[in-house]
Amino acid sequence: MSKSFQIASIIIISLTIVWFMIMGMDKYTPQWQFLTAGGIHFLMSIIINRQFVKARYNYLGIIHSILMITLGGYGYFFV
């Protein structure tokens, strides 16, 4: 995996954590934000999994896939 994709992946995961903190302080949670976050992590999981060739476990791809399923599913079914 190239270094730029690895850094971009870590930045997007950290921005998602900051977004969770902001959403925790807000009373109203719009559905489109969860669906958009799930879509971003869907695209990142595809990009990271295509870049993955050397290591034994793809931790960044697994993290993006889990965030994609939880954010997209929560936004689609529960909000």
Side-chain angles (χ1 to χ4, degrees):
M1 176 185 325
S2 67
K3 197 73 160 172
S4 61
F5 284 113
Q6 189 175 12
I7 291 171
S9 175
I10 292 171
I11 287 172
I12 289 178
I13 291 171
S14 62
L15 284 175
T16 303
I17 292 170
V18 170
W19 175 73
F20 273 138
M21 287 189 264
I22 292 170
M23 291 304 290
M25 291 184 268
D26 195 11
K27 280 183 156 183
Y28 176 67
T29 56
Q31 180 182 16
W32 67 268
Q33 288 186 0
F34 287 101
L35 294 176
T36 304
I40 290 170
H41 285 288
F42 172 70
L43 293 175
M44 283 304 295
S45 68
I46 290 173
I47 291 169
I48 295 300
N49 286 328
R50 301 241 340 158
Q51 293 288 321
F52 176 74
V53 290
K54 300 236 176 184
R56 188 165 184 187
Y57 295 105
N58 183 6
Y59 295 113
L60 290 175
I62 292 170
I63 291 170
H64 282 296
S65 299
I66 290 171
L67 287 172
M68 169 194 63
I69 292 169
T70 55
L71 292 173
Y74 182 75
Y76 187 78
F77 291 113
F78 298 113
V79 176

Coordinates of all heavy atoms in Angstrom, one line a residue:
M1 N 0.8 -1.2 0.0 CA 0.0 0.0 0.0 C 0.9 1.2 0.0 O 1.9 1.3 0.7 CB -0.9 0.0 1.2 CG -1.8 1.2 1.4 SD -2.7 1.3 2.9 CE -3.2 -0.4 3.2
S2 N 0.5 2.2 -0.8 CA 1.4 3.4 -0.8 C 1.1 4.2 0.4 O 0.1 4.2 1.1 CB 1.0 4.2 -2.1 OG -0.3 4.7 -2.0
K3 N 2.1 5.0 0.7 CA 2.1 5.8 1.9 C 1.0 6.9 1.9 O 0.3 7.2 2.9 CB 3.4 6.5 2.1 CG 3.7 7.0 3.5 CD 3.9 5.9 4.4 CE 4.6 6.4 5.6 NZ 4.7 5.4 6.6
S4 N 0.7 7.5 0.7 CA -0.3 8.5 0.6 C -1.7 7.9 0.9 O -2.5 8.6 1.5 CB -0.3 9.2 -0.8 OG -0.5 8.2 -1.8
F5 N -2.0 6.7 0.4 CA -3.3 6.1 0.7 C -3.4 5.8 2.1 O -4.5 5.9 2.7 CB -3.5 4.9 -0.2 CG -3.9 5.2 -1.6 CD1 -3.0 4.9 -2.6 CD2 -5.1 5.8 -1.9 CE1 -3.3 5.2 -3.9 CE2 -5.4 6.1 -3.2 CZ -4.5 5.8 -4.3
Q6 N -2.4 5.3 2.7 CA -2.4 5.0 4.2 C -2.6 6.2 5.0 O -3.5 6.2 5.9 CB -1.1 4.4 4.6 CG -1.0 3.8 5.9 CD 0.3 3.1 6.2 OE1 1.2 3.2 5.5 NE2 0.3 2.3 7.3
I7 N -2.0 7.3 4.7 CA -2.2 8.6 5.4 C -3.6 9.1 5.2 O -4.3 9.6 6.1 CB -1.1 9.6 5.0 CG1 0.2 9.2 5.5 CG2 -1.5 11.0 5.5 CD1 1.4 10.0 5.0
A8 N -4.1 9.1 3.9 CA -5.5 9.5 3.7 C -6.5 8.6 4.4 O -7.5 9.2 4.9 CB -5.8 9.4 2.2
S9 N -6.3 7.3 4.5 CA -7.2 6.5 5.3 C -7.2 6.8 6.8 O -8.3 6.9 7.4 CB -6.7 5.0 5.1 OG -7.5 4.2 5.9
I10 N -6.0 7.1 7.3 CA -6.0 7.4 8.8 C -6.6 8.8 9.0 O -7.3 9.0 10.0 CB -4.5 7.4 9.2 CG1 -4.0 5.9 9.2 CG2 -4.4 8.0 10.6 CD1 -2.5 5.8 9.5
I11 N -6.5 9.7 8.1 CA -7.1 11.0 8.2 C -8.6 10.9 8.2 O -9.3 11.5 9.0 CB -6.6 12.0 7.1 CG1 -5.1 12.4 7.4 CG2 -7.5 13.2 7.0 CD1 -4.5 13.2 6.3
I12 N -9.1 10.1 7.3 CA -10.6 9.9 7.2 C -11.2 9.2 8.4 O -12.2 9.6 8.9 CB -11.0 9.2 5.9 CG1 -10.7 10.1 4.7 CG2 -12.4 8.7 5.9 CD1 -11.0 9.5 3.4
I13 N -10.4 8.3 8.9 CA -10.9 7.6 10.2 C -10.9 8.6 11.3 O -11.8 8.6 12.1 CB -10.0 6.4 10.5 CG1 -10.3 5.3 9.5 CG2 -10.3 5.8 11.9 CD1 -9.4 4.1 9.5
S14 N -9.9 9.4 11.4 CA -9.8 10.4 12.5 C -10.9 11.5 12.3 O -11.5 12.0 13.3 CB -8.4 11.1 12.6 OG -8.1 11.7 11.4
L15 N -11.2 11.9 11.1 CA -12.3 12.8 10.9 C -13.6 12.2 11.2 O -14.5 12.9 11.7 CB -12.3 13.3 9.4 CG -11.2 14.3 9.0 CD1 -11.3 14.5 7.5 CD2 -11.4 15.6 9.8
T16 N -13.8 10.9 11.0 CA -15.0 10.3 11.4 C -15.2 10.3 13.0 O -16.3 10.5 13.5 CB -15.0 8.8 10.9 OG1 -14.9 8.8 9.5 CG2 -16.3 8.1 11.3
I17 N -14.1 10.1 13.7 CA -14.1 10.1 15.1 C -14.5 11.5 15.6 O -15.3 11.7 16.5 CB -12.8 9.7 15.7 CG1 -12.6 8.2 15.4 CG2 -12.7 9.9 17.2 CD1 -11.2 7.7 15.8
V18 N -13.9 12.6 15.0 CA -14.3 13.9 15.3 C -15.7 14.2 15.0 O -16.4 14.8 15.8 CB -13.3 14.9 14.6 CG1 -13.8 16.4 14.7 CG2 -11.9 14.8 15.1
W19 N -16.2 13.7 13.9 CA -17.6 13.8 13.5 C -18.5 13.2 14.6 O -19.6 13.7 14.9 CB -17.8 13.3 12.1 CG -19.3 13.2 11.7 CD1 -20.0 14.3 11.3 CD2 -20.1 12.1 11.6 NE1 -21.3 13.9 11.0 CE2 -21.4 12.5 11.1 CE3 -19.9 10.7 11.8 CZ2 -22.4 11.7 10.9 CZ3 -20.9 9.9 11.6 CH2 -22.2 10.3 11.2
F20 N -18.1 12.0 15.1 CA -18.9 11.3 16.1 C -19.0 12.2 17.4 O -20.0 12.3 18.0 CB -18.3 10.0 16.5 CG -18.7 8.8 15.7 CD1 -17.8 7.9 15.3 CD2 -20.0 8.7 15.4 CE1 -18.2 6.8 14.5 CE2 -20.5 7.6 14.6 CZ -19.5 6.7 14.2
M21 N -17.9 12.9 17.7 CA -17.9 13.7 18.9 C -18.9 14.9 18.7 O -19.6 15.3 19.6 CB -16.5 14.2 19.2 CG -15.7 13.1 19.9 SD -14.1 13.8 20.5 CE -13.1 13.4 19.1
I22 N -18.8 15.5 17.5 CA -19.7 16.6 17.2 C -21.2 16.2 17.2 O -22.1 16.9 17.7 CB -19.3 17.3 15.9 CG1 -18.0 17.9 16.0 CG2 -20.4 18.3 15.4 CD1 -17.4 18.4 14.7
M23 N -21.5 15.0 16.6 CA -22.8 14.5 16.6 C -23.3 14.1 18.0 O -24.5 14.1 18.2 CB -22.9 13.3 15.7 CG -22.8 13.6 14.2 SD -23.9 14.8 13.6 CE -25.4 13.9 13.7
G24 N -22.4 13.8 18.9 CA -22.8 13.5 20.2 C -23.3 14.7 21.0 O -24.1 14.6 21.9
M25 N -22.8 15.8 20.6 CA -23.3 17.1 21.2 C -24.6 17.6 20.6 O -25.2 18.5 21.2 CB -22.2 18.1 21.2 CG -21.0 17.8 22.0 SD -19.8 19.1 22.0 CE -18.7 18.6 20.6
D26 N -24.9 17.2 19.4 CA -26.1 17.7 18.7 C -27.3 16.9 19.1 O -27.2 15.6 19.2 CB -25.8 17.7 17.2 CG -26.7 18.5 16.4 OD1 -27.5 19.3 17.0 OD2 -26.7 18.4 15.2
K27 N -28.5 17.5 19.1 CA -29.7 16.8 19.4 C -30.2 16.1 18.2 O -30.7 15.0 18.2 CB -30.7 17.7 20.0 CG -30.6 18.1 21.4 CD -31.8 19.0 21.8 CE -32.0 18.9 23.3 NZ -33.2 19.7 23.7
Y28 N -30.2 16.8 17.1 CA -30.8 16.3 15.8 C -29.7 15.6 15.0 O -28.6 16.2 14.7 CB -31.4 17.4 15.1 CG -32.0 17.0 13.7 CD1 -33.1 16.2 13.7 CD2 -31.4 17.5 12.6 CE1 -33.6 15.8 12.4 CE2 -31.9 17.2 11.3 CZ -33.0 16.3 11.3 OH -33.5 16.0 10.1
T29 N -29.9 14.4 14.5 CA -29.0 13.7 13.7 C -29.6 13.4 12.3 O -30.5 12.5 12.2 CB -28.6 12.3 14.3 OG1 -29.7 11.6 14.6 CG2 -27.8 12.6 15.6
P30 N -29.3 14.2 11.3 CA -29.9 13.9 10.0 C -29.4 12.7 9.3 O -28.3 12.2 9.5 CB -29.4 15.2 9.2 CG -28.4 15.8 9.9 CD -28.4 15.3 11.3
Q31 N -30.3 12.0 8.6 CA -30.0 10.8 8.0 C -28.9 10.9 6.9 O -28.1 10.0 6.8 CB -31.3 10.2 7.3 CG -31.1 8.9 6.7 CD -32.4 8.4 6.0 OE1 -33.3 9.2 5.8 NE2 -32.5 7.1 5.7
W32 N -28.9 11.9 6.2 CA -27.9 12.0 5.1 C -26.5 12.0 5.5 O -25.6 11.6 4.8 CB -28.2 13.3 4.2 CG -28.0 14.6 4.9 CD1 -28.9 15.3 5.6 CD2 -26.8 15.3 5.0 NE1 -28.3 16.4 6.1 CE2 -27.0 16.5 5.7 CE3 -25.5 15.1 4.5 CZ2 -26.0 17.4 6.0 CZ3 -24.5 16.0 4.7 CH2 -24.8 17.2 5.5
Q33 N -26.2 12.5 6.8 CA -24.9 12.5 7.3 C -24.4 11.1 7.5 O -23.2 10.8 7.2 CB -24.8 13.3 8.5 CG -24.9 14.8 8.3 CD -24.7 15.6 9.6 OE1 -24.4 15.1 10.6 NE2 -24.8 16.9 9.4
F34 N -25.2 10.2 8.1 CA -24.8 8.8 8.3 C -24.6 8.1 6.9 O -23.7 7.3 6.8 CB -25.8 8.1 9.1 CG -25.8 8.5 10.6 CD1 -26.7 9.4 11.1 CD2 -24.8 8.0 11.4 CE1 -26.6 9.8 12.4 CE2 -24.7 8.4 12.7 CZ -25.7 9.2 13.2
L35 N -25.5 8.4 6.0 CA -25.4 7.7 4.7 C -24.2 8.2 3.9 O -23.5 7.4 3.3 CB -26.7 7.9 3.9 CG -28.0 7.3 4.5 CD1 -29.2 7.7 3.6 CD2 -27.8 5.8 4.5
T36 N -23.9 9.5 4.0 CA -22.7 10.0 3.4 C -21.4 9.4 4.0 O -20.5 9.1 3.3 CB -22.7 11.5 3.4 OG1 -23.9 12.0 2.9 CG2 -21.5 12.1 2.7
A37 N -21.4 9.4 5.3 CA -20.2 8.8 6.0 C -20.0 7.3 5.6 O -18.9 6.9 5.4 CB -20.3 9.0 7.5
G38 N -21.1 6.6 5.5 CA -21.1 5.2 5.1 C -20.6 5.1 3.7 O -19.8 4.2 3.4
G39 N -21.0 6.0 2.8 CA -20.6 6.0 1.4 C -19.1 6.3 1.3 O -18.4 5.7 0.5
I40 N -18.6 7.2 2.1 CA -17.2 7.6 2.0 C -16.3 6.4 2.5 O -15.3 6.1 1.9 CB -16.9 8.8 2.9 CG1 -17.5 10.1 2.2 CG2 -15.4 9.0 3.2 CD1 -17.5 11.3 3.1
H41 N -16.8 5.7 3.5 CA -16.0 4.6 4.0 C -16.1 3.4 3.0 O -15.2 2.6 2.9 CB -16.5 4.2 5.4 CG -15.9 5.1 6.5 ND1 -14.6 5.1 6.8 CD2 -16.5 6.1 7.2 CE1 -14.4 6.1 7.7 NE2 -15.6 6.6 8.0
F42 N -17.2 3.3 2.3 CA -17.4 2.3 1.2 C -16.3 2.5 0.2 O -15.6 1.6 -0.3 CB -18.8 2.4 0.6 CG -19.0 1.5 -0.6 CD1 -19.0 0.1 -0.5 CD2 -19.1 2.1 -1.8 CE1 -19.1 -0.7 -1.6 CE2 -19.3 1.3 -2.9 CZ -19.3 -0.1 -2.8
L43 N -16.2 3.8 -0.3 CA -15.2 4.1 -1.3 C -13.8 3.9 -0.8 O -12.9 3.3 -1.5 CB -15.3 5.5 -1.8 CG -16.6 5.8 -2.6 CD1 -16.7 7.3 -2.9 CD2 -16.6 5.0 -3.8
M44 N -13.5 4.2 0.5 CA -12.2 4.1 1.0 C -11.9 2.6 1.2 O -10.7 2.2 1.0 CB -12.0 4.8 2.4 CG -11.8 6.3 2.2 SD -10.5 6.8 1.2 CE -9.1 6.2 2.1
S45 N -12.8 1.8 1.6 CA -12.6 0.3 1.7 C -12.2 -0.3 0.4 O -11.3 -1.2 0.3 CB -13.7 -0.4 2.4 OG -14.9 -0.4 1.5
I46 N -12.9 0.1 -0.7 CA -12.5 -0.4 -2.0 C -11.1 0.1 -2.4 O -10.3 -0.7 -2.9 CB -13.5 0.1 -3.1 CG1 -14.9 -0.6 -2.8 CG2 -13.0 -0.1 -4.5 CD1 -16.0 0.0 -3.7
I47 N -10.8 1.4 -2.2 CA -9.5 1.9 -2.5 C -8.4 1.2 -1.7 O -7.4 0.7 -2.3 CB -9.4 3.4 -2.4 CG1 -10.3 4.1 -3.4 CG2 -8.0 3.9 -2.5 CD1 -10.5 5.5 -3.1
I48 N -8.6 1.0 -0.4 CA -7.6 0.4 0.4 C -7.4 -1.0 0.1 O -6.3 -1.6 0.0 CB -7.9 0.7 1.9 CG1 -7.8 2.2 2.2 CG2 -7.0 -0.1 2.8 CD1 -6.5 2.8 2.0
N49 N -8.5 -1.7 -0.1 CA -8.4 -3.2 -0.5 C -7.7 -3.4 -1.8 O -7.1 -4.4 -2.0 CB -9.8 -3.8 -0.4 CG -10.3 -4.0 1.0 OD1 -9.5 -4.2 1.9 ND2 -11.6 -3.9 1.2
R50 N -7.9 -2.5 -2.8 CA -7.2 -2.6 -4.0 C -5.7 -2.3 -3.9 O -4.9 -2.9 -4.6 CB -7.8 -1.7 -5.1 CG -9.2 -2.0 -5.3 CD -9.6 -2.4 -6.6 NE -8.7 -2.1 -7.7 CZ -8.8 -2.7 -8.9 NH1 -9.6 -3.7 -9.0 NH2 -8.0 -2.4 -9.8
Q51 N -5.3 -1.5 -2.9 CA -3.9 -1.1 -2.7 C -3.2 -2.2 -1.9 O -2.0 -2.2 -1.8 CB -3.8 0.2 -2.0 CG -4.2 1.4 -2.8 CD -3.3 1.7 -3.9 OE1 -2.1 1.6 -3.7 NE2 -3.8 2.0 -5.1
F52 N -3.9 -3.0 -1.2 CA -3.4 -4.0 -0.3 C -2.7 -5.2 -1.0 O -3.4 -5.9 -1.6 CB -4.5 -4.5 0.6 CG -4.1 -5.5 1.6 CD1 -3.4 -5.2 2.7 CD2 -4.5 -6.8 1.4 CE1 -3.1 -6.2 3.6 CE2 -4.2 -7.8 2.3 CZ -3.4 -7.5 3.4
V53 N -1.4 -5.3 -0.8 CA -0.7 -6.4 -1.5 C 0.3 -7.1 -0.6 O 0.7 -8.2 -0.8 CB 0.0 -6.0 -2.8 CG1 -1.1 -5.7 -3.8 CG2 0.9 -4.8 -2.6
K54 N 0.9 -6.4 0.5 CA 2.0 -6.9 1.2 C 1.8 -7.5 2.5 O 2.3 -8.6 2.8 CB 3.0 -5.8 1.4 CG 3.5 -5.2 0.1 CD 4.9 -5.2 -0.1 CE 5.3 -4.7 -1.4 NZ 6.6 -4.7 -1.8
A55 N 1.0 -6.9 3.4 CA 0.9 -7.3 4.7 C -0.1 -8.5 4.8 O -0.8 -8.8 3.9 CB 0.4 -6.2 5.6
R56 N -0.1 -9.2 5.9 CA -1.0 -10.4 6.1 C -2.4 -10.0 6.4 O -3.3 -10.6 5.9 CB -0.4 -11.2 7.2 CG -1.1 -12.5 7.3 CD -0.3 -13.5 8.2 NE -1.0 -14.8 8.2 CZ -0.7 -15.8 8.9 NH1 0.4 -15.7 9.7 NH2 -1.3 -16.9 8.8
Y57 N -2.6 -9.0 7.3 CA -3.9 -8.5 7.6 C -4.1 -7.1 7.2 O -3.2 -6.2 7.3 CB -4.2 -8.6 9.1 CG -4.2 -10.0 9.6 CD1 -3.1 -10.5 10.3 CD2 -5.3 -10.9 9.3 CE1 -3.1 -11.8 10.7 CE2 -5.3 -12.2 9.7 CZ -4.2 -12.6 10.5 OH -4.2 -13.9 10.9
N58 N -5.3 -6.8 6.6 CA -5.6 -5.4 6.1 C -6.4 -4.7 7.2 O -7.6 -4.7 7.1 CB -6.3 -5.6 4.8 CG -6.6 -4.2 4.2 OD1 -6.1 -3.2 4.7 ND2 -7.3 -4.2 3.1
Y59 N -5.8 -4.1 8.2 CA -6.5 -3.5 9.3 C -7.3 -2.3 8.8 O -8.4 -2.1 9.3 CB -5.6 -3.2 10.4 CG -5.0 -4.4 11.1 CD1 -3.6 -4.7 11.0 CD2 -5.8 -5.3 11.7 CE1 -3.1 -5.8 11.6 CE2 -5.2 -6.4 12.3 CZ -3.9 -6.7 12.2 OH -3.4 -7.8 12.8
L60 N -6.7 -1.5 8.0 CA -7.4 -0.3 7.6 C -8.6 -0.6 6.7 O -9.7 0.0 6.8 CB -6.4 0.7 6.8 CG -5.4 1.3 7.6 CD1 -4.4 2.1 6.7 CD2 -5.9 2.2 8.7
G61 N -8.5 -1.6 5.9 CA -9.7 -2.0 5.1 C -10.8 -2.6 5.9 O -11.9 -2.4 5.7
I62 N -10.4 -3.4 7.0 CA -11.3 -3.9 7.9 C -12.1 -2.8 8.7 O -13.3 -2.8 8.9 CB -10.7 -4.9 8.9 CG1 -10.2 -6.2 8.1 CG2 -11.6 -5.3 10.0 CD1 -9.3 -7.1 8.9
I63 N -11.3 -1.8 9.1 CA -11.9 -0.7 9.9 C -12.9 0.1 9.0 O -14.0 0.4 9.4 CB -10.8 0.2 10.4 CG1 -10.0 -0.5 11.5 CG2 -11.4 1.5 11.0 CD1 -8.8 0.2 12.0
H64 N -12.5 0.3 7.7 CA -13.4 1.1 6.8 C -14.6 0.2 6.5 O -15.7 0.8 6.4 CB -12.6 1.4 5.5 CG -11.7 2.6 5.6 ND1 -12.2 3.9 5.9 CD2 -10.4 2.7 5.5 CE1 -11.2 4.7 6.0 NE2 -10.1 4.0 5.7
S65 N -14.5 -1.1 6.4 CA -15.6 -1.9 6.1 C -16.6 -1.9 7.3 O -17.8 -1.9 7.1 CB -15.2 -3.3 5.8 OG -14.4 -3.4 4.6
I66 N -16.1 -2.0 8.5 CA -16.9 -2.0 9.7 C -17.7 -0.7 9.8 O -18.9 -0.6 10.1 CB -16.1 -2.3 10.9 CG1 -15.7 -3.8 10.9 CG2 -16.9 -2.0 12.2 CD1 -14.7 -4.2 12.0
L67 N -16.9 0.4 9.6 CA -17.6 1.8 9.7 C -18.6 1.9 8.5 O -19.7 2.5 8.8 CB -16.5 2.9 9.6 CG -15.7 3.0 10.8 CD1 -14.5 4.0 10.6 CD2 -16.5 3.5 12.0
M68 N -18.3 1.4 7.4 CA -19.3 1.5 6.3 C -20.6 0.8 6.6 O -21.7 1.3 6.4 CB -18.7 0.8 5.0 CG -19.7 0.6 3.9 SD -19.1 -0.5 2.6 CE -18.9 -2.0 3.4
I69 N -20.5 -0.4 7.2 CA -21.7 -1.2 7.5 C -22.5 -0.5 8.6 O -23.7 -0.4 8.6 CB -21.3 -2.6 7.8 CG1 -20.8 -3.4 6.6 CG2 -22.5 -3.4 8.4 CD1 -20.2 -4.7 6.8
T70 N -21.8 -0.1 9.7 CA -22.5 0.4 10.8 C -23.1 1.8 10.5 O -24.2 2.1 10.9 CB -21.6 0.5 12.1 OG1 -20.4 1.3 11.7 CG2 -21.1 -0.8 12.5
L71 N -22.3 2.7 9.9 CA -22.9 4.0 9.6 C -24.0 4.0 8.6 O -25.0 4.6 8.7 CB -21.7 5.0 9.2 CG -20.7 5.3 10.2 CD1 -19.6 6.1 9.6 CD2 -21.3 6.1 11.3
G72 N -23.7 3.3 7.5 CA -24.8 3.2 6.4 C -26.0 2.5 6.9 O -27.1 2.9 6.7
G73 N -25.8 1.4 7.7 CA -27.0 0.7 8.2 C -27.8 1.5 9.2 O -29.0 1.5 9.2
Y74 N -27.0 2.2 10.1 CA -27.7 3.0 11.1 C -28.5 4.1 10.4 O -29.6 4.4 10.8 CB -26.7 3.5 12.1 CG -27.4 4.3 13.2 CD1 -28.1 3.7 14.2 CD2 -27.3 5.7 13.2 CE1 -28.7 4.4 15.2 CE2 -27.9 6.4 14.2 CZ -28.6 5.8 15.2 OH -29.2 6.5 16.2
G75 N -27.8 4.8 9.4 CA -28.5 5.8 8.7 C -29.7 5.4 7.9 O -30.7 6.1 7.8
Y76 N -29.6 4.2 7.4 CA -30.7 3.7 6.5 C -31.9 3.2 7.4 O -33.0 3.4 7.0 CB -30.2 2.6 5.6 CG -31.2 2.2 4.6 CD1 -31.5 3.0 3.5 CD2 -31.9 1.0 4.7 CE1 -32.4 2.6 2.5 CE2 -32.8 0.6 3.8 CZ -33.1 1.4 2.7 OH -34.0 1.0 1.8
F77 N -31.6 2.4 8.4 CA -32.6 1.7 9.2 C -33.1 2.4 10.4 O -34.3 2.3 10.8 CB -32.2 0.3 9.6 CG -32.0 -0.6 8.4 CD1 -30.7 -1.1 8.1 CD2 -33.1 -1.0 7.6 CE1 -30.6 -1.9 7.0 CE2 -32.9 -1.9 6.6 CZ -31.6 -2.3 6.2
F78 N -32.3 3.2 11.1 CA -32.7 3.7 12.4 C -32.9 5.2 12.5 O -33.4 5.6 13.5 CB -31.6 3.2 13.4 CG -31.5 1.7 13.6 CD1 -30.4 1.1 13.2 CD2 -32.6 1.0 14.1 CE1 -30.3 -0.3 13.3 CE2 -32.5 -0.4 14.2 CZ -31.4 -1.0 13.8
V79 N -32.4 6.0 11.6 CA -32.6 7.4 11.7 C -33.8 7.9 10.9 O -34.1 7.5 9.9 CB -31.3 8.2 11.2 CG1 -31.5 9.7 11.2 CG2 -30.1 7.8 12.1

